Amino acid sequence: MRAVGRLVRQPCVHHSGWTHTGGEARCVECGTRRFTDYGALRPPELPQTVTPSDHARSAADRAAARQVWQRIRHRLLPG
């Protein structure tokens, strides 16, 4: 019997444990990386914590409500 394509290992279930360094966890067996802090993804020259203004939070709430309303309306109204 001949195999075509690349051989794929079974997915790792990460039983070997994780190493933790600098806002990142890495599976000992397969090397999968998981970021444990959002700050690990941000460049160091940017602020590490960002708090949106009241106006920005309100605008985001309105935009989300508008999206929900549009999806409901699209499903309820024909054509």
Side-chain angles (χ1 to χ4, degrees):
M1 183 147 112
R2 198 174 100 183
V4 178
R6 65 186 175 122
L7 298 176
V8 179
R9 289 180 32 192
Q10 291 293 324
C12 182
V13 291
H14 314 302
H15 285 301
S16 298
W18 296 86
T19 58
H20 299 275
T21 54
E24 176 182 302
R26 186 180 295 259
C27 176
V28 173
E29 187 174 335
C30 71
T32 296
R33 294 186 317 166
R34 291 184 178 162
F35 294 102
T36 57
D37 296 338
Y38 177 71
L41 302 175
R42 293 182 62 79
E45 63 271 6
L46 294 177
Q48 294 303 306
T49 58
V50 177
T51 305
S53 67
D54 289 339
H55 176 69
R57 282 196 301 256
S58 180
D61 287 344
R62 285 192 306 275
R66 188 171 28 257
Q67 287 289 324
V68 170
W69 175 79
Q70 287 174 346
R71 290 178 188 268
I72 289 171
R73 182 175 154 229
H74 177 71
R75 291 181 188 200
L76 294 178
L77 297 178

